[in-house]
């Protein structure tokens, strides 16, 4: 009888230990899941900030996202062995010399992203939109310019340049990333349209009829549609000498500024009441 009781006690202790171990495992699992969820949430916030600021500075959001991914994997506290800091891996000397921002401020995610995007935009303009040269300079400095004035990718940055371009191609085919970009573009131009007050309460519109206001509203919608298109597709002209009938689409990137100019030019043919001008 005593032996049976002892066996029962041992069984109870074993069961208690199993339950305790299972409980601890579940706690660890929940903690890990929460940590991963928090990390993904922070990562998404960083991506949203990058896209928002890229649109504001008229830089391709895909390019900015690709640089941030390669540089830091979107981590705000990243620090390289060379001393580059934050999401966009900005060197303190660059931050102070180009933007008068201290090294300590580079760990502020919004400030870091702002500087990184402005710097990328600056380099793209400096090198006539040569992506490979701009990326090489971003990663390796101004040695891209040779003694004879020609431009060449710094050898040590070749791997970096290829990686950013490869990441960019992946992002272009990423459904979620493209949805994010489209959402921010729509929001940006919705705010711009509201601030420009196409249908405002000024003297130009206050005496228009409902029918005329409806026409202006229609023009406004067309404007927003045209401004938020990312690409412009043109069918290539067929050669007269060729007997081969091929159809393909040529994709031409159009900057935000160019789109604005084209839409404004298109709108200029309309009178304030929505009618065509002579």
């Amino acid at each position: 009888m005593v032996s049976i009781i002892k066996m029962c006690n041992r069984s109870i202790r074993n069961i208690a230990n199993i339950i305790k171990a299972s409980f601890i495992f579940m706690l660890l699992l929940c903690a890990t899941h929460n940590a991963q969820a928090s990390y993904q949430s922070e990562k998404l916030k960083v991506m949203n900030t990058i896209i928002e600021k890229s649109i504001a500075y008229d830089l391709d959001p895909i390019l900015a996202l690709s640089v941030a991914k390669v540089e830091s994997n979107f981590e705000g506290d990243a620090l390289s062995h060379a001393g580059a800091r934050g999401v966009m891996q900005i060197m303190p000397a660059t931050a102070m010399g180009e933007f008068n921002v201290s090294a300590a401020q580079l760990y502020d995610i919004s400030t870091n992203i702002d500087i990184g995007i402005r710097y990328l935009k600056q380099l793209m303009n400096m090198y006539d939109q040569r992506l490979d040269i701009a990326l090489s300079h971003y990663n390796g400095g101004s040695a891209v310019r040779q003694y004879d004035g020609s431009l060449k990718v710094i050898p040590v940055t070749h791997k970096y340049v290829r990686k950013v371009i490869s990441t960019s191609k992946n992002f272009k085919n990423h459904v979620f990333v493209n949805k994010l970009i489209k959402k921010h573009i729509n929001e940006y131009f919705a705010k711009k349209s509201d601030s420009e007050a196409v249908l405002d309460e000024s003297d130009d519109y206050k005496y228009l009829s409902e029918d005329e206001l409806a026409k202006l509203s229609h023009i406004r919608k067309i404007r927003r549609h045209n401004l938020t298109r990312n690409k412009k597709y043109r069918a290539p002209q067929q050669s007269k000498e060729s007997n081969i009938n091929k159809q393909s689409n040529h994709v031409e990137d159009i900057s935000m500024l160019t789109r604005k100019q084209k839409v404004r030019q298109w709108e200029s043919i309309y009178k304030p009441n929505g009618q065509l001008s002579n």
Side-chain angles (χ1 to χ4, degrees):
M1 186 70 180
V2 174
S3 61
I4 294 174
I5 292 172
K6 287 181 178 179
M7 287 178 61
C8 289
N9 288 335
R10 280 199 299 269
S11 298
I12 291 171
R13 282 197 298 269
N14 289 336
I15 292 171
N17 288 333
I18 292 171
I19 293 172
K20 184 178 179 180
S22 299
F23 181 70
I24 293 172
F25 175 76
M26 290 300 295
L27 285 177
L28 291 173
L29 192 63
C30 289
T32 303
H33 175 75
N34 290 337
Q36 288 177 342
S38 176
Y39 173 76
Q40 291 300 326
S41 176
E42 287 301 315
K43 192 173 177 180
L44 182 59
K45 287 180 183 178
V46 170
M47 291 177 70
N48 277 312
T49 303
I50 291 170
I51 294 169
E52 184 179 341
K53 288 185 178 292
S54 296
I55 295 168
Y57 287 117
D58 195 17
L59 181 75
D60 182 4
I62 293 289
L63 171 59
L65 286 169
S66 301
V67 169
K69 172 67 176 175
V70 173
E71 290 282 3
S72 70
N73 196 28
F74 305 109
E75 294 182 5
D77 59 353
L79 176 65
S80 75
H81 66 277
R85 304 184 180 195
V87 174
M88 304 297 287
Q89 288 289 275
I90 308 297
M91 292 293 290
T94 301
M96 181 55 69
E98 297 286 340
F99 305 99
N100 197 30
V101 172
S102 68
Q105 290 175 282
L106 291 177
Y107 283 122
D108 177 77
I109 291 176
S110 180
T111 300
N112 188 286
I113 292 171
D114 190 90
I115 291 174
I117 288 172
R118 287 164 62 192
Y119 192 42
L120 273 172
K121 178 72 176 179
Q122 179 180 311
L123 293 175
M124 288 291 286
N125 289 338
M126 181 187 299
Y127 297 119
D128 298 322
Q129 308 306 309
R130 282 277 308 269
L131 178 59
D132 57 341
I133 301 298
L135 289 174
S136 184
H137 185 146
Y138 188 93
N139 184 246
S142 58
V144 292
R145 193 172 295 279
Q146 307 300 298
Y147 290 111
D148 61 358
S150 63
L151 298 171
K152 184 179 179 181
V153 173
I154 303 168
V156 75
T157 67
H158 271 296
K159 183 178 179 181
Y160 171 84
V161 171
R162 286 196 299 268
K163 193 170 183 180
V164 172
I165 291 173
S166 174
T167 302
S168 177
K169 290 177 181 178
N170 291 336
F171 275 141
K172 283 180 181 178
N173 295 320
H174 198 292
V175 175
F176 177 70
V177 169
N178 281 284
K179 283 183 178 179
L180 268 185
I181 293 173
K182 185 176 181 180
K183 169 180 169 287
H184 280 284
I185 288 176
N186 288 334
E187 288 177 354
Y188 175 79
F189 283 108
K191 289 177 183 177
K192 291 289 283 185
S193 295
D194 290 340
S195 65
E196 290 172 1
V198 179
L199 295 177
D200 57 16
E201 297 177 357
S202 68
D203 291 337
D204 292 334
Y205 301 108
K206 95 169 120 159
Y207 298 111
L208 293 180
S209 67
E210 290 185 6
D211 192 40
E212 289 169 333
L213 285 172
K215 289 179 180 178
L216 278 177
S217 178
H218 180 64
I219 292 173
R220 185 182 185 186
K221 289 177 181 177
I222 295 174
R223 167 193 286 182
R224 188 174 301 171
H225 167 74
N226 283 320
L227 285 174
T228 54
R229 287 186 304 177
N230 292 326
K231 303 289 183 184
K232 172 181 165 185
Y233 295 88
R234 290 180 178 174
Q237 295 181 352
Q238 297 295 324
S239 173
K240 294 181 180 180
E241 298 177 358
S242 173
N243 294 323
I244 302 174
N245 184 20
K246 294 183 179 179
Q247 292 183 347
S248 62
N249 287 328
H250 172 65
V251 183
E252 178 186 348
D253 288 321
I254 302 179
S255 72
M256 208 77 74
L257 179 60
T258 304
R259 289 201 294 273
K260 291 177 188 176
Q261 291 172 341
K262 287 182 179 294
V263 171
R264 290 297 186 191
Q265 183 181 16
W266 174 83
E267 286 181 341
S268 67
I269 67 173
Y270 284 91
K271 293 181 180 179
N273 62 5
Q275 296 178 346
L276 285 171
S277 58
N278 295 327

